[in-house]
Amino acid sequence: MLYESSQYQGVGPRPEWVGAVFDGKLRIPVNVMAYREIYRPMFFHELTHAFIRAMTRYHVPLWVNEGIAQVIDASRTGMQRPEGGAPSIEALTTPFVNENNTGAAVKLYWYSQAMVERLLARNASLVHFRDFIQNMRTLGDEPALQKFYGVTTQQLFDEVR
């Protein structure tokens, strides 16, 4: 769905930093379609959320969902760690679109990507990663993380902090 206004055609208000949304529909601003370097990563990011939802039929932790989307869209790959303190794990598990501060949102995305990249560094097999994501539904988030990567969310967070 292409939209023209900040109202996201019924999705509701979002912070200014939000460019696109996946809420069961891909909602992308029509004005970015003329700029491939902007719409391509935006489209891949939101499409990744759609694939994750279809693949898991489960709400994976937000840091995992956003981290995967960040790795796929590659728009922030190689970006330096944002200055200031790290966000809390709690902040990494609540919807990032609730964050009105752009700087805080950048941190959330950076940390989620760094945590997913750390998982992939432990085992780069995409089949292994897929199995981890799919098993979250039956095992639970932490048990699946420990079974497939031998780490807790807190330990992973501490590694990238």
Side-chain angles (χ1 to χ4, degrees), residues 137-156:
R137 182 172 60 180
T138 55
L139 298 177
D141 300 342
E142 287 297 315
L145 192 56
Q146 290 175 350
K147 176 181 178 179
F148 286 88
Y149 291 99
V151 68
T152 66
T153 301
Q154 183 65 54
Q155 291 168 330
L156 188 63

Side-chain angles (χ1 to χ4, degrees), residues 128-147:
H128 185 81
F129 191 77
R130 179 205 62 204
D131 291 346
F132 155 63
I133 296 298
Q134 290 178 331
N135 277 272
M136 287 179 137
R137 182 172 60 180
T138 55
L139 298 177
D141 300 342
E142 287 297 315
L145 192 56
Q146 290 175 350
K147 176 181 178 179

Side-chain angles (χ1 to χ4, degrees), residues 59-77:
H59 179 74
V60 300
L62 208 44
W63 68 267
V64 175
N65 200 325
E66 290 297 346
I68 295 168
Q70 290 291 113
V71 168
I72 298 296
D73 82 32
S75 65
R76 292 186 171 102
T77 300

Side-chain angles (χ1 to χ4, degrees), residues 29-150:
V30 70
N31 62 337
V32 302
M33 298 310 284
Y35 306 98
R36 180 180 171 92
E37 68 278 2
I38 296 173
Y39 84 77
R40 192 170 192 276
M42 185 181 287
F43 181 73
F44 280 121
H45 184 100
E46 299 307 329
L47 190 58
T48 299
H49 292 312
F51 285 141
I52 292 169
R53 181 183 287 180
M55 183 177 85
T56 63
R57 301 186 194 283
Y58 174 73
H59 179 74
V60 300
L62 208 44
W63 68 267
V64 175
N65 200 325
E66 290 297 346
I68 295 168
Q70 290 291 113
V71 168
I72 298 296
D73 82 32
S75 65
R76 292 186 171 102
T77 300
M79 196 174 137
Q80 294 291 322
R81 177 191 319 272
E83 292 188 19
S88 66
I89 289 178
E90 292 76 28
L92 288 164
T93 60
T94 58
F96 294 4
V97 296
N98 291 345
E99 180 55 63
N100 289 317
N101 180 292
T102 303
V106 166
K107 282 184 184 181
L108 294 171
Y109 282 105
W110 189 92
Y111 278 88
S112 64
Q113 181 173 346
M115 290 169 73
V116 167
E117 286 173 340
R118 184 63 63 129
L119 290 178
L120 293 171
R122 287 174 178 270
N123 186 325
S125 165
L126 294 181
V127 171
H128 185 81
F129 191 77
R130 179 205 62 204
D131 291 346
F132 155 63
I133 296 298
Q134 290 178 331
N135 277 272
M136 287 179 137
R137 182 172 60 180
T138 55
L139 298 177
D141 300 342
E142 287 297 315
L145 192 56
Q146 290 175 350
K147 176 181 178 179
F148 286 88
Y149 291 99

